[in-house]
Amino acid sequence: MTNRNTDVNFTPFAYSSISATYIAPKGKYIFICIERSPFSKTSPENNHELWRISPDGKESTKIDEGLNILKRKGCFIIKKISRLRKIKNKNGIKQQWMMRDHYYDLDGHIIWAKDEYEYRK
């Protein structure tokens, strides 16, 4: 916004890439979506994080983490793995990952979370 480049250390953890950046209305915050390297190849992981940074870069807050982060008009949606459900059937036990969508306003505060649903690739 000011045509200056400044290094900002907003997370103490390593990450593989910055997937998206957003500026809140009136430049109140800068939001950064980062992707951590996935650790497991067999199960889904909450490997994306949403961070909120003050415009001067002095204050950073981790909003939440999830499987996917979407920006919609007026909110962020973080799709988050919530639990592993085990279902007994005639062939044995089936495992099903459950997800929940969490909605955040443009200040980074949670608005609400939808009901759980089955994770499908």
Side-chain angles (χ1 to χ4, degrees), residues 91-102:
N91 297 331
I93 296 177
K94 175 186 169 188
Q95 294 183 340
Q96 178 62 51
W97 290 98
M98 302 301 290
M99 293 187 73
R100 187 172 276 175
D101 293 350
H102 297 256

Side-chain angles (χ1 to χ4, degrees), residues 14-84:
Y15 58 90
S16 58
S17 66
I18 294 176
S19 56
T21 58
Y22 308 100
I23 297 177
K26 300 181 183 176
K28 189 173 180 180
Y29 298 110
I30 301 167
F31 288 93
I32 298 179
C33 299
I34 63 170
E35 184 175 344
R36 295 179 298 168
S37 298
F39 299 106
S40 173
K41 300 295 181 194
T42 58
S43 63
E45 296 214 10
N46 293 324
N47 61 356
H48 290 80
E49 294 179 355
L50 180 64
W51 285 80
R52 181 183 73 191
I53 302 172
S54 62
D56 59 7
K58 294 180 180 178
E59 191 178 321
S60 64
T61 305
K62 179 180 171 183
I63 303 301
D64 206 348
E65 61 185 31
L67 186 67
N68 193 6
I69 299 172
L70 303 170
K71 167 75 170 66
R72 296 290 185 245
K73 186 175 181 177
C75 72
F76 290 97
I77 302 170
I78 300 179
K79 296 179 175 292
K80 193 171 181 172
I81 299 292
S82 57
R83 67 184 172 99
L84 177 64

